[in-house]
Every structure is written in C-alpha cells, then in structure tokens.
C-alpha cells in the first residue's frame, strides 16, 4: 500500500518553504510562486503552509528575506566611500543569483535585520561625507535602486526562461536594434551586439558599482567647494 500524503510529509520550516519558493522564482518567475503550488511541491496541503505564511504576499516576503539572510555584512573601514561601496557590493552579491526576486528584496530591506544594517552603514557613511539627512536618504535609496537595476539587466538576467527562450529573446533584441536606420542611428546600430550580450558579467557589475560611487564622490566634492 503506498504511503499517504501525511506519511511522506517532510518536516516543514519557514526556511524550507521559502527556499523552495525562491527556487521556483529563480526558474519560472515570481508569478509562479503560490502557496498552492508550494503545497504541491512539498507534498502537503495548503493548510500546512498557512502556519508559516498566511498569504501569497507573505510567501513572497519570505523568499525575499531568504535573499537578505545571505548578505555578508562588511566590516566598516571608517572611509566613507569604501563603506558605501562595500554595502552596495554586499547587496548586489546576495541578489545576483536571484534577479527575479530583486524588486521584492528592495521592498524588504527596511524590514530585515541585515537590510537595516546595510542601510545604517550607508547612511552613516553618507553623513560622514557631508550630505544632509535628506540628501543622504535619497542617495541610499538610489543605491538600492542601482543594485536592483544591476542584477535585473537584460544582459545578465538569464532567469525565468529556458536557455532556448533566452537565446531567442536576445537574437530578436539584437536584430531589432540592428534593423534601425544606420544613417539616422549609426552609433546605436554599431552597438547592437554589445547592447544585447554581456561578454563579462563581472565587468558589468563592477562598472555599475564604480559609476554609483564616482557619482557620489563628485557630489560630495561639489558640496565642499
């Protein structure tokens, strides 16, 4: 006689459920993450998951929290630009494997201990650079938006699609750019491939971080003049 669903039910924890939800989001997108889907995946009834997540929205918060759980908080150096860079790199590094969840992670930063630690480090560094509370707050929020933009860029986000679907999408994108009138848009047409494919993701991430830090440095220097 085959075991009943109850007999084979795994020992559930909030972390186990959220981890499986994150796996689904990584491969199929956030829209595929539901309590009913998770219950089927884990061999339990939906009611068993309600002990941990009351709604699908709670479940999405839970998977975002798991991304933030993985953040490795940097040591503060006391040099403001280095500390902002370290905080930004730590967040980007944690989000890179999970671009489908990046926007949800951004919404959870102020509700998670590690997110709050990164925010504290960023605001402290920006204050040390001489920015007002309003400017520092805006720049910290802009750092978060930059981190999301970096990991969700079309060139590096290969999640939520099969390899065949992604390749077809990129071919269409390159062909669309290349088909523009070269007399009117010569530079755009010449960069069709570079705008579509990323040869070295590490360089792209490094450039994104460098660009943000250079901008903040420039603003700080402008204030001191």
């Amino acid at each position: 006689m085959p075991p009943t669903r109850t007999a084979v039910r795994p020992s559930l924890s909030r972390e186990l459920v959220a981890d499986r939800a994150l796996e689904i989001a990584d491969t199929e997108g956030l829209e595929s993450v539901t309590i009913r889907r998770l219950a089927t995946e884990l061999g339990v009834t939906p009611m068993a998951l309600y002990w941990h997540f009351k709604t699908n929205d709670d479940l999405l918060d839970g998977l975002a929290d798991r991304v933030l759980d993985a953040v490795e908080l940097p040591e503060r150096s006391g040099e403001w630009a280095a500390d902002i860079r370290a905080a930004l790199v730590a967040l980007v590094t944690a989000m890179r494997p999970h671009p489908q969840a990046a926007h949800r992670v951004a919404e959870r930063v102020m509700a998670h201990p590690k997110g709050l630690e990164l925010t504290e480090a960023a605001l402290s560094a920006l204050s040390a650079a001489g920015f007002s509370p309003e400017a520092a707050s805006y720049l910290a929020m802009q750092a978060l938006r930059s981190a999301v933009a970096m990991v969700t860029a079309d060139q590096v986000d290969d999640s939520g699609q099969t390899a065949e679907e992604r390749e077809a999408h990129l071919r269409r994108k390159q062909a669309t750019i290349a088909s523009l009138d070269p007399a009117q848009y010569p530079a755009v047409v010449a960069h069709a491939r570079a705008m579509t494919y990323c040869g070295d993701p590490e360089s792209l991430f490094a450039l994104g971080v460098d660009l943000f830090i250079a901008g903040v440095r420039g603003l700080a220097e402008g204030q001191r003049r």
Side-chain angles (χ1 to χ4, degrees), residues 87 93 118 125 157 174 201 210:
T93 299
L118 290 178
D157 179 8
Q174 182 179 354
D210 288 345

Side-chain angles (χ1 to χ4, degrees), residues 90-167:
L91 183 59
V92 170
T93 299
M95 291 198 300
R96 278 181 60 181
H98 312 290
Q100 292 285 329
H103 289 282
R104 198 77 188 194
V105 171
E107 295 173 6
R108 294 293 295 170
V109 163
M110 297 298 290
H112 190 282
K114 288 189 174 181
L116 285 170
E117 287 288 342
L118 290 178
T119 305
E120 176 69 20
L123 290 174
S124 295
L126 290 163
S127 295
F131 291 103
S132 69
E134 292 78 12
S137 298
Y138 176 78
L139 287 169
M141 289 186 285
Q142 191 60 41
L144 180 58
R145 295 188 190 101
S146 296
V148 171
M150 278 184 247
V151 303
T152 58
D154 197 22
Q155 291 175 312
V156 295
D157 179 8
D158 59 358
S159 64
Q161 296 176 311
T162 66
E164 294 77 14
E165 288 171 340
R166 175 167 171 75
E167 183 55 34

Side-chain angles (χ1 to χ4, degrees), residues 27-197:
T27 56
E28 300 178 38
L30 284 182
E31 65 278 0
S32 296
V33 178
T34 65
I35 288 177
R36 187 170 296 279
R37 167 73 183 274
L38 262 293
T40 300
E41 292 273 339
L42 296 170
V44 298
T45 64
M47 190 60 65
L49 302 189
Y50 290 138
W51 288 101
H52 304 294
F53 303 103
K54 299 301 184 186
T55 65
N56 286 336
D57 206 49
D58 290 340
L59 180 58
L60 295 179
D61 284 346
L63 69 84
D65 286 347
R66 291 300 282 162
V67 177
L68 288 165
D69 286 343
V71 168
E72 295 187 11
L73 294 172
E75 297 268 346
R76 295 199 203 178
S77 69
E79 200 284 300
W80 69 263
D83 287 344
I84 296 172
R85 175 185 290 276
L88 183 55
V89 168
L91 183 59
V92 170
T93 299
M95 291 198 300
R96 278 181 60 181
H98 312 290
Q100 292 285 329
H103 289 282
R104 198 77 188 194
V105 171
E107 295 173 6
R108 294 293 295 170
V109 163
M110 297 298 290
H112 190 282
K114 288 189 174 181
L116 285 170
E117 287 288 342
L118 290 178
T119 305
E120 176 69 20
L123 290 174
S124 295
L126 290 163
S127 295
F131 291 103
S132 69
E134 292 78 12
S137 298
Y138 176 78
L139 287 169
M141 289 186 285
Q142 191 60 41
L144 180 58
R145 295 188 190 101
S146 296
V148 171
M150 278 184 247
V151 303
T152 58
D154 197 22
Q155 291 175 312
V156 295
D157 179 8
D158 59 358
S159 64
Q161 296 176 311
T162 66
E164 294 77 14
E165 288 171 340
R166 175 167 171 75
E167 183 55 34
H169 163 70
L170 293 177
R171 282 199 305 269
R172 288 193 300 271
K173 178 181 177 179
Q174 182 179 354
T176 298
I177 297 172
S179 67
L180 294 170
D181 182 358
Q184 187 173 6
Y185 306 108
V188 175
V189 172
H191 290 78
R193 181 168 180 81
M195 293 177 69
T196 304
Y197 295 95

